[in-house]
Amino acid sequence: MDYQDIKLKRAGTVARVTINRPDRLNAMSTRTSDELVDAFATLGEDPEVRCIVITGEGRGFSAGQDLTEFRSDYEAGRERDIEGHLRATYNRLILQIVEIPKPVIAEINGVAAGAGLSLALACDLRVAGDGARFTLAFVKIGLIPDSGATWLLARTVGHARAMELAVGGDVIDAQRALKIGLVHRVVVADSLREEVDTLAEQLAALPTRAIAETRRLFLSGQDGSLAEALDREAASQGEMGRTHDHLEGVAAFLEKREPKFEGR
């Protein structure tokens, strides 16, 4: 696919996906979502890529859905098929990111609003510049949080804070986001790219299959009993025990050297 709304670059074992609509604060259209789905599907199948960074061009991470895409319908008073739109776009995208077998970092360089915040929540780690801002915003236009926010946000910051953000629609700054656990790290904006690149390279050097399986178990472990979690852990650990990276990690430990993981 020839991308028009995003940029995709690879540097060694790290891939960087950039939403490239800076004039719209990287608000997403149907085409943007389709391109992101394609990019993540491609990267998920690329054995050379061990970690993925997603960010936005210019001053914003993503302002969410670009409502101007549907301006004519709204101006004419026509109802939009929002359900169909979500099923065809964001639902596919969020699952693609959450289920990809590689760690994903959100580099939040500015506003993350609505579905843009949901996009960040789908990532494993979120690093924000000190000028970043966050809002769900849906309630301000009479909608409910979507694109996975009702599932992801409460698991990230807890039920009470998730409700506060969802029904209040307030904008919070990077330091508040860090305090409530919405982001993992806040850095000076000028050093954001460098900090994220360093983190991505560190993750890419680790056994990525084990990281992906850890993420899957954490997510599935939010539901069900402890006994079920123990059973899932045992089954997954059996699979991980047969990987090259496990054998390499143990060999390196016994030989007192640094391991060389390959993600397999």
Side-chain angles (χ1 to χ4, degrees):
M1 176 182 288
D2 292 327
Y3 300 133
Q4 299 181 57
D5 287 0
I6 71 171
K7 295 187 292 186
L8 173 58
K9 293 185 178 179
R10 297 172 176 83
T13 55
V14 175
R16 176 174 286 269
V17 179
T18 304
I19 304 173
N20 189 31
R21 304 186 77 212
D23 57 321
R24 303 293 304 164
L25 281 178
N26 299 311
M28 292 185 286
S29 67
T30 299
R31 183 174 68 191
T32 313
S33 180
D34 287 344
E35 291 183 3
L36 286 170
V37 167
D38 183 84
F40 274 89
T42 299
L43 294 173
E45 296 174 355
D46 187 342
E48 300 300 318
V49 173
R50 305 280 302 281
C51 184
I52 302 165
V53 175
I54 182 168
T55 190
E57 186 70 29
R59 299 182 297 110
F61 177 74
S62 174
Q65 171 63 43
D66 187 351
L67 292 176
T68 64
E69 180 179 12
F70 313 123
R71 180 188 296 276
S72 60
D73 285 335
Y74 281 118
E75 289 180 341
R78 292 189 292 268
E79 290 186 3
R80 283 286 308 159
D81 180 14
I82 299 178
E83 178 181 353
H85 178 68
L86 287 173
R87 293 186 186 282
T89 57
Y90 296 109
N91 288 11
R92 296 170 57 224
L93 173 60
I94 296 302
L95 285 174
Q96 185 76 54
I97 295 172
V98 170
E99 295 175 357
I100 199 168
K102 299 168 186 185
V104 183
I105 304 170
E107 181 184 295
I108 305 169
N109 54 311
V111 64
L117 179 52
S118 299
L119 180 63
L121 286 167
C123 301
D124 298 297
L125 295 172
R126 289 168 291 283
V127 182
D130 54 6
R133 296 291 183 271
F134 305 83
T135 179
L136 276 184
F138 294 95
V139 72
K140 298 292 181 68
I141 55 172
L143 294 176
I144 57 98
D146 62 31
S147 307
T150 61
W151 196 89
L152 293 164
L153 185 61
R155 285 164 170 78
T156 302
V157 303
H159 176 83
R161 288 196 174 105
M163 281 297 295
E164 179 184 19
L165 292 171
V167 303
D170 295 331
V171 178
I172 65 172
D173 62 21
Q175 289 301 326
R176 174 63 176 163
L178 179 65
K179 184 176 181 179
I180 66 175
L182 185 61
V183 300
H184 301 88
R185 189 183 304 176
V186 174
V187 302
V188 176
D190 289 344
S191 64
L192 178 61
R193 173 71 178 266
E194 181 180 356
E195 291 271 353
V196 170
D197 283 346
T198 298
L199 177 59
E201 289 169 3
Q202 292 171 346
L203 291 177
L206 294 173
T208 46
R209 281 190 62 186
I211 293 174
E213 189 65 7
T214 299
R215 175 222 287 144
R216 187 185 72 80
L217 290 173
F218 274 146
L219 291 174
S220 61
Q222 300 290 332
D223 304 304
S225 67
L226 173 59
E228 291 169 330
L230 290 168
D231 185 62
R232 285 193 295 265
E233 288 172 356
S236 293
Q237 201 71 297
E239 182 180 348
M240 293 301 102
R242 294 187 289 273
T243 64
H244 166 275
D245 283 349
H246 168 64
L247 298 177
E248 165 63 11
V250 173
F253 174 79
L254 296 175
E255 296 167 12
K256 296 181 170 56
R257 61 174 174 81
E258 289 296 316
K260 296 180 180 180
F261 296 119
E262 298 179 8
R264 60 183 180 89

